[in-house]
Amino acid sequence: MQLAPPGHAGALPEPSLEARAHSDRVVAYIVASIAAAGGWISFADYMGAALYAPGLGYYASGTRKFGAGGDFVTAPELTALFGRALGAQLAEVVESTGGDIVELGPGTGKLAADVLGELSLRRVLPQRYRLLEVSPELRARQREHLSGKVPALLSRIEWIEVLPERWRGAIVANEVFDAVPPQLVVRKSASWYERGVALDGGRLALADRPLGAGPLRDAAAALFPPDGDYVSEVNAAAQALLTSLALRCDAGALLLIDYGFPADEYYHAQRSGGTLMTHYRHRALADPLFLPGLADLTAHVDFTAMARAGVGAGMSVSGFTTQAHFLVNCGILDLLAGVGDVQSIDYLREASAVNKLLSPAEMGELFKVLMLTRGEVTPGPGFRGGDRRNRLDRVAAPH
Ligand SMILES: C[S@@+](CC[C@H](N)C(=O)[O-])C[C@H]1O[C@@H](n2cnc3c(N)ncnc32)[C@H](O)[C@@H]1O
């Protein structure tokens, strides 16, 4: 996710009257949920409603999220070379499994078009490329984009609304797991609380309530540093989603690309405020209650938890590295060189986008790529040649 460059941090753009009215409807929905729950809902339930309440939530209503006119720009939106490099990785998975590709949360459809374009060039097209998308607005946008970019491949593209019962081939999730609502746990003066949302003078407010013994407290106690005041996320839903994907896999690779860390870095003593972020019009804000329904909410991904969930469901960790290493290994610099005249505007535009994807100061280090596999799957270029500084030990070490 790419936000505004420094210096772009002026006053926040005011929402239109229509947008504000929409946010008011989302707030009313959340207020009703709080009342129905007896005065308090967990943060996960709040974020679930703010992002996914049918017809209301950020990802479930018709406003424009992706790109320059939205709230953030993701890697596939920056340059087609991201999808083409990923295509190099997926080509080997498709070839070695003879399977299909399923993309979770496919955004505008740009990644799908770029991956399919690359697979077509390499003559290793899957029979089916499935897009798991629940938003009718985004489905229409994806169809329009794909019809324009890869019309000859439309017959291979299929939209689905639920996870496939079984899958063989590849599952791709770019910036999806950061959008899965986590629970927030607080340790303050050696006592445990769960952070949620309640009403204070009729307005939404964060509210902590004591957290008794049980799985959530046990999970936080195992993850958090041994002592000190600390707030962070525990994402049981992300683990459950990954487990569910892994259990349904007959053979193939699950590729998860997102921002996050292995657990030791995620739950570092210095990261005592957690990783929750609100994105609104290319700004990162700290307040998760800011304009519900108009702002995106995300938390970083704990890749150790994801790897363990996969291994627990019988998959193996076959690769874990930074986005920069992965993309360079997949040949993104050769693809860039192929763009043409280095003096041209086209080349400069692509080079600037590739720099954002690779630079340690931007997306190169914070974003990671995790590959879980089941059965005979070749590791692919992303985790093979070139820079081999994969850090499997960081996510695959026994707990
Ligand atoms: C930040 S957007 C990323 C979109 C796109 N992958 C990209 O890179 O531009 C996150 C997307 O993940 C989707 N999402 C969240 N949870 C999901 C789930 N459990 N299954 C499928 N999609 C999900 C959201 O609806 C949203 O469209």
Side-chain angles (χ1 to χ4, degrees):
M1 191 169 283
Q2 179 68 17
L3 299 170
H8 191 260
L12 283 175
E14 270 297 312
S16 65
L17 286 178
E18 191 193 343
R20 194 168 278 283
H22 177 79
S23 182
D24 289 345
R25 285 194 290 279
V26 179
V27 171
Y29 176 91
I30 293 167
V31 167
S33 308
I34 292 171
W40 182 93
I41 57 172
S42 70
F43 185 81
D45 287 344
Y46 163 77
M47 180 163 156
L51 296 187
Y52 304 111
L56 289 172
Y58 182 77
Y59 285 115
S61 63
T63 50
R64 183 162 282 253
K65 287 97 198 171
F66 307 91
D71 299 296
F72 53 81
V73 179
T74 56
E77 304 296 322
L78 281 171
T79 168
L81 301 185
F82 176 80
R84 292 193 54 200
L86 185 59
Q89 177 74 15
L90 290 170
E92 293 206 9
V93 178
V94 169
E95 216 162 23
S96 59
T97 60
D100 294 333
I101 297 177
V102 180
E103 187 185 341
L104 305 185
T108 60
K110 188 146 186 329
L111 183 63
D114 298 335
V115 164
L116 279 167
E118 182 65 22
L119 293 177
S120 176
L121 282 176
R122 291 171 179 262
R123 301 183 188 283
V124 277
L125 281 166
Q127 280 304 312
R128 294 260 165 273
Y129 191 110
R130 297 196 168 102
L131 298 107
L132 195 162
E133 178 59 71
V134 291
S135 151
E137 184 240 357
L138 282 174
R139 236 178 292 151
R141 201 165 156 193
Q142 289 151 12
R143 190 181 294 280
E144 192 187 326
H145 183 77
L146 288 156
S147 307
K149 292 290 179 188
V150 285
L153 304 180
L154 272 187
S155 58
R156 294 176 190 261
I157 301 172
E158 199 174 274
W159 278 264
I160 54 176
E161 290 191 33
V162 291
L163 298 181
E165 278 302 315
R166 309 291 315 162
W167 62 275
R168 163 181 284 273
I171 287 204
V172 178
N174 185 62
E175 288 206 37
V176 170
F177 279 75
D178 66 82
V180 176
Q183 284 160 294
L184 286 188
V185 180
V186 180
R187 186 179 57 206
K188 201 167 164 201
S189 307
S191 296
W192 293 94
Y193 304 88
E194 181 175 1
R195 181 155 292 173
V197 179
L199 294 178
D200 183 5
R203 298 171 72 91
L204 298 180
L206 292 175
D208 297 345
R209 72 173 195 187
L211 176 62
L216 182 60
R217 197 170 93 181
D218 291 349
L223 292 166
F224 285 16
D227 42 42
D229 288 356
Y230 204 82
V231 183
S232 197
E233 307 84 27
V234 175
N235 205 330
Q239 290 174 46
L241 173 60
L242 198 122
T243 299
S244 177
L245 292 169
L247 287 173
R248 290 158 192 249
C249 175
D250 289 326
L254 184 48
L255 268 161
L256 212 142
I257 309 167
D258 226 309
Y259 39 98
F261 313 105
D264 58 349
E265 227 177 307
Y266 196 115
Y267 298 101
H268 193 280
Q270 285 173 0
R271 206 179 305 286
S272 58
T275 70
L276 197 66
M277 258 197 301
T278 304
H279 294 118
Y280 177 71
R281 306 285 188 88
H282 300 268
R283 269 49 162 223
L285 312 172
D287 178 11
L289 304 179
F290 181 80
L291 290 178
L294 300 187
D296 189 21
L297 295 165
T298 76
H300 287 31
V301 172
D302 170 0
F303 279 98
T304 306
M306 298 297 96
R308 287 200 181 122
V311 170
M315 292 187 90
S316 307
V317 180
S318 299
F320 178 64
T321 191
T322 63
Q323 175 170 287
H325 288 145
F326 177 79
L327 292 176
V328 169
N329 290 348
C330 285
I332 198 165
L333 295 176
D334 295 332
L335 292 169
L336 175 62
V339 166
D341 182 0
V342 294
Q343 305 283 349
S344 67
I345 296 291
D346 279 354
Y347 181 87
L348 278 181
R349 195 181 304 118
E350 292 299 311
S352 156
V354 168
N355 183 52
K356 286 193 175 92
L357 296 179
L358 302 183
S359 162
E362 303 217 39
M363 301 167 82
E365 285 278 326
L366 179 58
F367 279 70
K368 314 289 189 304
V369 186
L370 172 68
M371 184 163 92
L372 297 163
T373 56
R374 188 193 294 280
E376 292 296 308
V377 185
T378 49
F383 303 102
R384 197 167 49 208
D387 192 321
R388 288 166 185 267
R389 276 182 290 161
N390 297 335
R391 299 183 302 169
L392 281 181
D393 54 317
R394 300 284 303 282
V395 291
H399 192 43

